[in-house]
Amino acid sequence: MADSESPIDDLDRQIIHALQGDARHTSASEIAESLDVSARTVRNRINNLEEAGIIRGYNVDVDYEAAGYQLHTLIVCTAPIHEREEIAQHALEVDGVVAIREVMTGAENVHIEVVGVDSNDLSRIGRDLNDVGLTVVDEDLIRNEYTRPFHQFSAGAATDDN
């Protein structure tokens, strides 16, 4: 799949770049055609990347506001460093929690994305997070989120000096 320095090679990077752009509407055949390889090669590479844990999944990007949920919120918390991972796993079980990021800092080291149906629901989520061992530091309503494919996965980026 790759050379001894990196777990992935240029072809893997370009496949990942295409999938990050729009995994749902990008077929192995389309990727293969753009990279001048066979669709079978692309499918095999994707399977290998999934088995290696490099591609961990495919997520649906939900516009919660359009779906009728106005309270899409980022809750910044602090967890004791030695318990951070375990507490984050428990927090994922709280109703309304949709994503958790552990951050490599001493304080404000767990960022939790939640969706609440009303202010009472957000208060309940905050209490539940406190009950699993997190200290809520800040809460911010999320207006929009923008993503794009990682530039190092694009064609030729691995050999560029930039």
Side-chain angles (χ1 to χ4, degrees), residues 115-137:
V115 178
V117 296
D118 57 29
S119 59
N120 289 334
D121 197 29
L122 283 181
S123 294
R124 188 240 346 127
I125 293 168
R127 285 190 306 275
D128 289 352
L129 293 174
N130 186 65
D131 290 345
V132 299
L134 292 164
T135 300
V136 174
V137 177

Side-chain angles (χ1 to χ4, degrees), residues 91-116:
L92 197 55
E93 298 170 11
V94 171
D95 287 341
V97 171
V98 296
I100 297 178
R101 289 184 178 90
E102 291 181 54
V103 181
M104 298 299 292
T105 60
E108 299 182 8
N109 56 6
V110 180
H111 297 186
I112 303 176
E113 183 180 344
V114 306
V115 178

